[in-house]
Amino acid sequence: MKSYIVGNWKMNFSVGESSVYLHKLLQKTRAFRDIEVIVAPSFVALQPLSLQVDRKKIRLAAQSANPHDFGAYTGEVSYTQLRGIVDYGIIGHSERRQLFHESDKDIRASVAAALRNQITPILCIGETETEHTFGETHDVLRDQLLGGLSEVSAEDISKVIIAYEPIWAISTTTDSRIASPDEIGEIAQFIRRTLVDAYGESTAEAIPLLYGGSVNPTNAGAYLTVPGINGLLIGGASLIGDQFIDIIETAKKVKD
Ligand code: 13P
């Protein structure tokens, strides 16, 4: 399976800055057969960057979108409108769930909408610090995972990517801490078992599972060698060109 290195730029960079930054990334990265590099700029930058990007090197993702195809949804952008502009869509990020009250229903509709529009969903799941402390992690992850995938046909399940981001380990939250590779390994096994139980071994084994939460050039190698982890979803470090490139190079070394 390929490795996936995904940079979530969140609400950072103007359109001009996004374009300059993409230019720098394109100059400094090569086309890899076994590594998919993906960046998720803000909406306003997606269309111009789609004309600039070299898809052999870097693919674009949306950070979120509305699951309806068209209609009276003031201020929203749909996966249908993003079709041809992005190849991937980040769905159910904890910031969308927490700050914008996206429900499991919204998230499952988004996964279905992305697939309907030939956009690969990157479904994010993750527990809060409190859920973690009270030993509820497995229940929360199972619900988010199976809830998010419940409208996906058996045939489409293998087109989905899962990203595990424990909310307590995301650097932008107030009291974040680093998740150890052992902790991530245990959760990766749990997620894979849950997928195997739901969809069977061969389908489940083909679904890429990414880790996200305070990934940086120093710890990227350790996360990438956790059994069952197929890539990284990166926030802060993806905004710094040298760090993001460094992580891509690390992924290449791990692959080789
Ligand atoms: P950080 O890498 O800044 O912890 O962010 C993780 C994240 O939320 C990526 O989607």
Side-chain angles (χ1 to χ4, degrees):
M1 187 188 305
K2 275 187 183 180
S3 281
Y4 293 80
I5 302 296
V6 187
N8 178 6
W9 295 357
K10 305 191 180 181
M11 200 173 71
N12 293 290
F13 300 146
S14 66
V15 175
E17 287 165 347
S18 300
S19 171
V20 170
Y21 185 42
L22 181 67
H23 180 74
K24 180 174 167 183
L25 291 179
L26 288 168
Q27 274 186 326
K28 291 203 170 181
T29 190
R30 295 174 280 143
F32 302 110
R33 243 181 315 117
D34 48 3
I35 299 179
E36 185 89 323
V37 179
I38 303 164
V39 296
S42 67
F43 269 133
V44 276
L46 281 174
Q47 200 276 337
L49 265 55
S50 75
L51 303 177
Q52 177 189 348
V53 76
D54 174 352
R55 289 181 186 209
K56 288 195 284 301
K57 292 184 179 178
I58 295 180
R59 301 276 174 156
L60 295 179
Q63 297 177 15
S64 169
N66 188 289
H68 297 95
D69 288 343
F70 296 103
Y73 302 99
T74 302
E76 293 294 279
V77 173
S78 70
Y79 291 97
T80 307
Q81 292 170 315
L82 289 166
R83 189 174 178 157
I85 294 178
V86 300
D87 290 302
Y88 294 88
I90 298 174
I91 295 175
H93 191 281
S94 58
E95 288 151 19
R96 300 296 316 170
R97 292 178 193 261
Q98 293 197 315
L99 304 175
F100 304 101
H101 313 294
E102 278 186 12
S103 66
D104 282 339
K105 187 165 164 266
D106 300 325
I107 290 162
R108 85 171 61 103
S110 291
V111 170
L115 287 166
R116 187 165 72 236
N117 288 290
Q118 275 79 55
I119 292 169
T120 301
I122 303 175
L123 172 65
C124 300
I125 58 174
E127 80 285 9
T128 62
E129 172 85 70
T130 312
E131 289 160 346
H132 185 77
T133 311
F134 284 97
E136 294 165 3
T137 301
H138 286 189
D139 289 344
V140 170
L141 296 182
R142 188 188 296 106
D143 286 354
Q144 291 180 350
L145 186 61
L146 300 181
L149 296 177
S150 62
E151 281 185 20
V152 181
S153 67
E155 178 196 336
D156 278 350
I157 280 288
S158 56
K159 298 181 186 154
V160 169
I161 295 175
I162 306 297
Y164 171 55
E165 295 204 315
I167 297 170
W168 47 269
I170 295 177
S171 64
T172 46
T173 56
T174 40
D175 49 2
S176 57
R177 62 181 176 86
I178 303 282
S180 75
D182 283 351
E183 284 177 284
I184 301 311
E186 190 272 320
I187 296 296
Q189 269 187 29
F190 170 76
I191 293 172
R192 196 68 70 184
R193 263 198 324 271
T194 306
L195 290 169
V196 168
D197 289 348
Y199 306 108
E201 182 129 9
S202 62
T203 303
E205 293 301 336
I207 299 176
L209 174 60
L210 319 187
Y211 170 70
S214 302
V215 173
N216 60 41
T218 311
N219 61 25
Y223 289 130
L224 284 167
T225 45
V226 170
I229 291 294
N230 313 107
L232 301 169
L233 177 52
I234 307 152
S238 77
L239 302 175
I240 303 162
D242 292 344
Q243 294 199 10
F244 193 57
I245 297 287
D246 197 325
I247 294 170
I248 296 167
E249 294 295 334
T250 301
K252 184 63 191 152
K253 281 194 206 108
V254 170
K255 267 281 174 220
D256 294 343

mmCIF file of all heavy atoms in Angstrom, residues 86-111:
data_model
loop_
_atom_site.group_PDB
_atom_site.id
_atom_site.type_symbol
_atom_site.label_atom_id
_atom_site.label_comp_id
_atom_site.label_asym_id
_atom_site.label_seq_id
_atom_site.Cartn_x
_atom_site.Cartn_y
_atom_site.Cartn_z
ATOM 1 N N VAL A 86 -10.393 19.008 -6.562
ATOM 2 C CA VAL A 86 -9.652 18.253 -5.547
ATOM 3 C C VAL A 86 -9.793 16.749 -5.820
ATOM 4 O O VAL A 86 -10.765 16.305 -6.434
ATOM 5 C CB VAL A 86 -10.158 18.548 -4.108
ATOM 6 C CG1 VAL A 86 -10.003 20.023 -3.768
ATOM 7 C CG2 VAL A 86 -11.603 18.094 -3.907
ATOM 8 N N ASP A 87 -8.819 15.989 -5.330
ATOM 9 C CA ASP A 87 -8.904 14.530 -5.409
ATOM 10 C C ASP A 87 -9.340 13.921 -4.081
ATOM 11 O O ASP A 87 -9.763 12.775 -4.032
ATOM 12 C CB ASP A 87 -7.539 13.948 -5.801
ATOM 13 C CG ASP A 87 -7.196 14.276 -7.238
ATOM 14 O OD1 ASP A 87 -7.977 13.904 -8.127
ATOM 15 O OD2 ASP A 87 -6.164 14.948 -7.476
ATOM 16 N N TYR A 88 -9.157 14.690 -3.000
ATOM 17 C CA TYR A 88 -9.449 14.167 -1.655
ATOM 18 C C TYR A 88 -10.298 15.169 -0.880
ATOM 19 O O TYR A 88 -10.275 16.376 -1.169
ATOM 20 C CB TYR A 88 -8.142 13.937 -0.879
ATOM 21 C CG TYR A 88 -7.283 12.856 -1.465
ATOM 22 C CD1 TYR A 88 -6.353 13.147 -2.470
ATOM 23 C CD2 TYR A 88 -7.403 11.537 -1.039
ATOM 24 C CE1 TYR A 88 -5.565 12.144 -3.035
ATOM 25 C CE2 TYR A 88 -6.614 10.532 -1.585
ATOM 26 C CZ TYR A 88 -5.703 10.832 -2.574
ATOM 27 O OH TYR A 88 -4.929 9.840 -3.116
ATOM 28 N N GLY A 89 -10.988 14.669 0.132
ATOM 29 C CA GLY A 89 -11.744 15.546 1.027
ATOM 30 C C GLY A 89 -11.551 15.091 2.468
ATOM 31 O O GLY A 89 -11.800 13.909 2.781
ATOM 32 N N ILE A 90 -11.072 15.994 3.326
ATOM 33 C CA ILE A 90 -10.986 15.683 4.758
ATOM 34 C C ILE A 90 -12.405 15.821 5.319
ATOM 35 O O ILE A 90 -13.066 16.836 5.087
ATOM 36 C CB ILE A 90 -10.018 16.651 5.479
ATOM 37 C CG1 ILE A 90 -8.596 16.511 4.909
ATOM 38 C CG2 ILE A 90 -10.015 16.407 6.988
ATOM 39 C CD1 ILE A 90 -7.608 17.542 5.466
ATOM 40 N N ILE A 91 -12.858 14.804 6.010
ATOM 41 C CA ILE A 91 -14.252 14.807 6.505
ATOM 42 C C ILE A 91 -14.262 14.459 7.994
ATOM 43 O O ILE A 91 -13.558 13.549 8.439
ATOM 44 C CB ILE A 91 -15.097 13.789 5.706
ATOM 45 C CG1 ILE A 91 -15.195 14.254 4.245
ATOM 46 C CG2 ILE A 91 -16.496 13.635 6.326
ATOM 47 C CD1 ILE A 91 -15.893 13.302 3.308
ATOM 48 N N GLY A 92 -15.045 15.219 8.757
ATOM 49 C CA GLY A 92 -15.211 14.891 10.176
ATOM 50 C C GLY A 92 -14.004 15.234 11.023
ATOM 51 O O GLY A 92 -13.789 14.613 12.078
ATOM 52 N N HIS A 93 -13.213 16.210 10.604
ATOM 53 C CA HIS A 93 -12.093 16.634 11.451
ATOM 54 C C HIS A 93 -12.645 17.065 12.811
ATOM 55 O O HIS A 93 -13.738 17.631 12.895
ATOM 56 C CB HIS A 93 -11.350 17.805 10.778
ATOM 57 C CG HIS A 93 -10.052 18.116 11.458
ATOM 58 N ND1 HIS A 93 -9.997 18.840 12.626
ATOM 59 C CD2 HIS A 93 -8.769 17.796 11.156
ATOM 60 C CE1 HIS A 93 -8.723 18.942 13.000
ATOM 61 N NE2 HIS A 93 -7.960 18.321 12.126
ATOM 62 N N SER A 94 -11.888 16.826 13.869
ATOM 63 C CA SER A 94 -12.409 17.127 15.217
ATOM 64 C C SER A 94 -12.776 18.601 15.367
ATOM 65 O O SER A 94 -13.700 18.945 16.106
ATOM 66 C CB SER A 94 -11.396 16.724 16.277
ATOM 67 O OG SER A 94 -10.171 17.386 16.068
ATOM 68 N N GLU A 95 -12.079 19.488 14.632
ATOM 69 C CA GLU A 95 -12.443 20.909 14.725
ATOM 70 C C GLU A 95 -13.816 21.150 14.093
ATOM 71 O O GLU A 95 -14.587 21.983 14.566
ATOM 72 C CB GLU A 95 -11.345 21.769 14.072
ATOM 73 C CG GLU A 95 -10.091 21.796 14.947
ATOM 74 C CD GLU A 95 -8.783 21.974 14.206
ATOM 75 O OE1 GLU A 95 -8.777 22.428 13.051
ATOM 76 O OE2 GLU A 95 -7.734 21.634 14.807
ATOM 77 N N ARG A 96 -14.143 20.416 13.042
ATOM 78 C CA ARG A 96 -15.481 20.525 12.442
ATOM 79 C C ARG A 96 -16.530 19.946 13.401
ATOM 80 O O ARG A 96 -17.603 20.508 13.577
ATOM 81 C CB ARG A 96 -15.563 19.756 11.113
ATOM 82 C CG ARG A 96 -14.621 20.189 10.014
ATOM 83 C CD ARG A 96 -14.824 21.567 9.493
ATOM 84 N NE ARG A 96 -16.207 21.914 9.259
ATOM 85 C CZ ARG A 96 -16.617 23.171 8.967
ATOM 86 N NH1 ARG A 96 -15.735 24.163 8.886
ATOM 87 N NH2 ARG A 96 -17.884 23.427 8.774
ATOM 88 N N ARG A 97 -16.184 18.820 14.015
ATOM 89 C CA ARG A 97 -17.148 18.195 14.934
ATOM 90 C C ARG A 97 -17.372 19.101 16.139
ATOM 91 O O ARG A 97 -18.516 19.327 16.560
ATOM 92 C CB ARG A 97 -16.620 16.834 15.428
ATOM 93 C CG ARG A 97 -16.549 15.747 14.356
ATOM 94 C CD ARG A 97 -15.966 14.459 14.973
ATOM 95 N NE ARG A 97 -15.573 13.476 13.989
ATOM 96 C CZ ARG A 97 -16.310 12.416 13.626
ATOM 97 N NH1 ARG A 97 -17.481 12.202 14.158
ATOM 98 N NH2 ARG A 97 -15.847 11.552 12.732
ATOM 99 N N GLN A 98 -16.288 19.640 16.702
ATOM 100 C CA GLN A 98 -16.415 20.375 17.964
ATOM 101 C C GLN A 98 -16.833 21.826 17.763
ATOM 102 O O GLN A 98 -17.723 22.323 18.440
ATOM 103 C CB GLN A 98 -15.088 20.334 18.718
ATOM 104 C CG GLN A 98 -14.749 18.928 19.194
ATOM 105 C CD GLN A 98 -13.696 18.922 20.274
ATOM 106 O OE1 GLN A 98 -12.689 19.630 20.152
ATOM 107 N NE2 GLN A 98 -13.891 18.146 21.314
ATOM 108 N N LEU A 99 -16.159 22.537 16.863
ATOM 109 C CA LEU A 99 -16.403 23.979 16.729
ATOM 110 C C LEU A 99 -17.616 24.277 15.858
ATOM 111 O O LEU A 99 -18.266 25.300 16.028
ATOM 112 C CB LEU A 99 -15.173 24.684 16.136
ATOM 113 C CG LEU A 99 -13.851 24.482 16.881
ATOM 114 C CD1 LEU A 99 -12.702 25.134 16.131
ATOM 115 C CD2 LEU A 99 -13.948 25.056 18.284
ATOM 116 N N PHE A 100 -17.903 23.392 14.902
ATOM 117 C CA PHE A 100 -19.001 23.664 13.967
ATOM 118 C C PHE A 100 -20.132 22.642 14.085
ATOM 119 O O PHE A 100 -21.010 22.578 13.235
ATOM 120 C CB PHE A 100 -18.459 23.759 12.527
ATOM 121 C CG PHE A 100 -17.388 24.802 12.420
ATOM 122 C CD1 PHE A 100 -16.047 24.459 12.407
ATOM 123 C CD2 PHE A 100 -17.719 26.151 12.412
ATOM 124 C CE1 PHE A 100 -15.051 25.430 12.367
ATOM 125 C CE2 PHE A 100 -16.735 27.131 12.377
ATOM 126 C CZ PHE A 100 -15.401 26.774 12.348
ATOM 127 N N HIS A 101 -20.076 21.851 15.166
ATOM 128 C CA HIS A 101 -21.164 20.937 15.542
ATOM 129 C C HIS A 101 -21.581 19.994 14.418
ATOM 130 O O HIS A 101 -22.764 19.725 14.229
ATOM 131 C CB HIS A 101 -22.370 21.745 16.056
ATOM 132 C CG HIS A 101 -21.950 22.790 17.042
ATOM 133 N ND1 HIS A 101 -21.428 22.478 18.276
ATOM 134 C CD2 HIS A 101 -21.898 24.147 16.952
ATOM 135 C CE1 HIS A 101 -21.091 23.578 18.914
ATOM 136 N NE2 HIS A 101 -21.344 24.614 18.127
ATOM 137 N N GLU A 102 -20.625 19.527 13.645
ATOM 138 C CA GLU A 102 -20.976 18.535 12.617
ATOM 139 C C GLU A 102 -21.333 17.225 13.309
ATOM 140 O O GLU A 102 -20.590 16.743 14.161
ATOM 141 C CB GLU A 102 -19.803 18.325 11.647
ATOM 142 C CG GLU A 102 -19.766 19.398 10.593
ATOM 143 C CD GLU A 102 -18.717 19.165 9.512
ATOM 144 O OE1 GLU A 102 -18.139 18.071 9.414
ATOM 145 O OE2 GLU A 102 -18.471 20.125 8.764
ATOM 146 N N SER A 103 -22.456 16.686 12.930
ATOM 147 C CA SER A 103 -22.933 15.452 13.567
ATOM 148 C C SER A 103 -22.468 14.237 12.765
ATOM 149 O O SER A 103 -22.013 14.374 11.625
ATOM 150 C CB SER A 103 -24.459 15.463 13.600
ATOM 151 O OG SER A 103 -24.932 15.409 12.264
ATOM 152 N N ASP A 104 -22.646 13.063 13.357
ATOM 153 C CA ASP A 104 -22.326 11.832 12.625
ATOM 154 C C ASP A 104 -23.157 11.747 11.343
ATOM 155 O O ASP A 104 -22.697 11.242 10.328
ATOM 156 C CB ASP A 104 -22.595 10.604 13.510
ATOM 157 C CG ASP A 104 -21.467 10.406 14.521
ATOM 158 O OD1 ASP A 104 -20.352 10.927 14.297
ATOM 159 O OD2 ASP A 104 -21.702 9.741 15.555
ATOM 160 N N LYS A 105 -24.387 12.277 11.422
ATOM 161 C CA LYS A 105 -25.269 12.253 10.241
ATOM 162 C C LYS A 105 -24.672 13.116 9.120
ATOM 163 O O LYS A 105 -24.618 12.711 7.964
ATOM 164 C CB LYS A 105 -26.648 12.778 10.665
ATOM 165 C CG LYS A 105 -27.715 12.682 9.646
ATOM 166 C CD LYS A 105 -29.086 12.896 10.314
ATOM 167 C CE LYS A 105 -30.141 13.193 9.272
ATOM 168 N NZ LYS A 105 -30.364 14.618 9.027
ATOM 169 N N ASP A 106 -24.197 14.329 9.482
ATOM 170 C CA ASP A 106 -23.566 15.216 8.482
ATOM 171 C C ASP A 106 -22.337 14.523 7.883
ATOM 172 O O ASP A 106 -22.070 14.596 6.683
ATOM 173 C CB ASP A 106 -23.054 16.522 9.126
ATOM 174 C CG ASP A 106 -24.161 17.321 9.796
ATOM 175 O OD1 ASP A 106 -25.285 17.302 9.281
ATOM 176 O OD2 ASP A 106 -23.880 17.966 10.837
ATOM 177 N N ILE A 107 -21.586 13.877 8.773
ATOM 178 C CA ILE A 107 -20.315 13.288 8.347
ATOM 179 C C ILE A 107 -20.552 12.107 7.406
ATOM 180 O O ILE A 107 -19.912 11.980 6.371
ATOM 181 C CB ILE A 107 -19.478 12.924 9.595
ATOM 182 C CG1 ILE A 107 -19.020 14.245 10.249
ATOM 183 C CG2 ILE A 107 -18.302 12.026 9.255
ATOM 184 C CD1 ILE A 107 -18.569 14.141 11.664
ATOM 185 N N ARG A 108 -21.531 11.271 7.754
ATOM 186 C CA ARG A 108 -21.794 10.130 6.849
ATOM 187 C C ARG A 108 -22.346 10.626 5.509
ATOM 188 O O ARG A 108 -22.014 10.074 4.466
ATOM 189 C CB ARG A 108 -22.679 9.080 7.522
ATOM 190 C CG ARG A 108 -24.167 9.252 7.474
ATOM 191 C CD ARG A 108 -24.825 7.991 8.002
ATOM 192 N NE ARG A 108 -24.428 7.758 9.388
ATOM 193 C CZ ARG A 108 -25.212 8.012 10.445
ATOM 194 N NH1 ARG A 108 -26.440 8.446 10.284
ATOM 195 N NH2 ARG A 108 -24.787 7.798 11.673
ATOM 196 N N ALA A 109 -23.123 11.698 5.540
ATOM 197 C CA ALA A 109 -23.625 12.257 4.278
ATOM 198 C C ALA A 109 -22.467 12.834 3.458
ATOM 199 O O ALA A 109 -22.448 12.745 2.224
ATOM 200 C CB ALA A 109 -24.674 13.328 4.563
ATOM 201 N N SER A 110 -21.489 13.419 4.137
ATOM 202 C CA SER A 110 -20.324 13.977 3.427
ATOM 203 C C SER A 110 -19.475 12.884 2.798
ATOM 204 O O SER A 110 -18.976 13.037 1.678
ATOM 205 C CB SER A 110 -19.456 14.799 4.384
ATOM 206 O OG SER A 110 -20.140 15.967 4.756
ATOM 207 N N VAL A 111 -19.290 11.781 3.527
ATOM 208 C CA VAL A 111 -18.513 10.660 2.977
ATOM 209 C C VAL A 111 -19.192 10.161 1.697
ATOM 210 O O VAL A 111 -18.542 9.979 0.662
ATOM 211 C CB VAL A 111 -18.368 9.515 4.021
ATOM 212 C CG1 VAL A 111 -17.773 8.265 3.384
ATOM 213 C CG2 VAL A 111 -17.522 9.965 5.209
#
